[in-house]
Amino acid sequence: TLHDLIINKFIDKDHFYESFDSFHDGSCQNMSYSNQGDIYENGWMDKSPDQFSWHVQNGANCGGTPTSNTGPAIDHTTGSGNFIYTESTFAFRANQTAIFESPCIDFTSRNSAGMNFWYHRYGSDLGDLFIDVFANGVWNLAVDNITGQNQSSSIDPWKLKKVLFNQYAGQVLKVRFRSIYTSGFGNFESNMAIDDVQFYSPIQQDAHLLHVDLLLVSCEQDNAQLLLTVNNFGLDSILPNQVKIKYQIGNGAIVTDSNAVGLTVDSNL
């Protein structure tokens, strides 16, 4: 049937992760009123009704975003790929809305639903970022949000945001990133960005390794420390000594270690 054709075409059953690196950045000098050749892939769409809108940008090739004192210098994934960001240049009035919408995501066989993404919010004119979920036939507004300026320079690290919407599990969903430009013409430092969006079904206990950083203690090659950052992505706290970390130095034996500190939901160690 026509309904089956539409559902089979647009429901994303396999690609629950999006880095935006397959998207095409049409121009480094994006204008808010035109996407200027940007090509969105995998069912993602800019559905902004106003001049304030979302754009594809390759920060490494473009030197960040076109507006000074706002936006990230590079993407989160590799430092050489794409991110999606809001552009307000030539948005001539305040209270405009930028909307970036996901493809349909199939959670029909899942009893939990969530999303995480990395974000960069540097700029004095940033509006709030709202996460809306399309479920039960309607857009459920402001399921979560991010407010304020969360970075203080274009080279500050990206930050991770997790959003749970378990109340909508068991059905086909869409998510949109909605930002409101409140500053008005002439206040253009509002280039917020997102990258590496992942949809998943949260489980009770779920420890993720976020970063591995090498700390040099001295100039000796064999004198260094590894700093591991682990986050609890799950729905429940992780008790002390439950996180097991295995590592190997050179061709030596594999060592298993644990941490005496527990992890509450959404915390790091």
Side-chain angles (χ1 to χ4, degrees), residues 77-127:
T77 316
T78 62
S80 60
N82 297 332
F83 54 82
I84 306 295
Y85 84 103
T86 56
E87 180 58 59
S88 62
T89 305
F90 294 102
F92 291 103
R93 57 181 174 81
N95 299 317
Q96 297 192 45
T97 302
I99 294 174
F100 186 58
E101 189 174 300
S102 81
C104 295
I105 306 297
D106 187 4
F107 282 101
T108 53
S109 62
R110 313 294 178 89
N111 56 17
S112 63
M115 172 185 73
N116 62 69
F117 63 95
W118 292 84
Y119 68 93
H120 198 285
R121 288 174 52 85
Y122 163 54
S124 60
D125 303 317
L126 291 170

Side-chain angles (χ1 to χ4, degrees), residues 32-43:
S32 56
Y33 54 80
S34 171
N35 280 329
Q36 295 182 298
D38 286 350
I39 299 176
Y40 304 92
E41 301 285 356
N42 306 324

Side-chain angles (χ1 to χ4, degrees), residues 19-25 39 56-59 61 74-84 158 194-196:
S19 69
F20 308 119
D21 287 345
S22 65
F23 291 25
H24 176 70
D25 180 9
I39 299 176
V56 183
Q57 189 82 343
N58 186 296
N61 291 342
I74 56 175
D75 76 311
H76 172 263
T77 316
T78 62
S80 60
N82 297 332
F83 54 82
I84 306 295
W158 291 69
I194 61 171
D195 201 2
D196 295 323

Side-chain angles (χ1 to χ4, degrees), residues 109-175:
S109 62
R110 313 294 178 89
N111 56 17
S112 63
M115 172 185 73
N116 62 69
F117 63 95
W118 292 84
Y119 68 93
H120 198 285
R121 288 174 52 85
Y122 163 54
S124 60
D125 303 317
L126 291 170
D128 295 340
L129 177 61
F130 298 96
I131 310 301
D132 304 333
V133 177
F134 187 82
N136 302 316
V138 298
W139 280 107
N140 300 272
L141 303 181
V143 173
D144 209 331
N145 69 295
I146 305 175
T147 62
Q149 181 177 213
N150 306 105
Q151 279 89 357
S152 58
S153 78
S154 62
I155 61 173
D156 277 358
W158 291 69
K159 294 186 177 182
L160 178 67
K161 174 68 175 179
K162 293 186 293 183
V163 183
L164 296 179
F165 31 88
N166 294 327
Q167 65 270 37
Y168 305 122
Q171 58 186 300
V172 176
L173 308 176
K174 286 197 292 185
V175 170

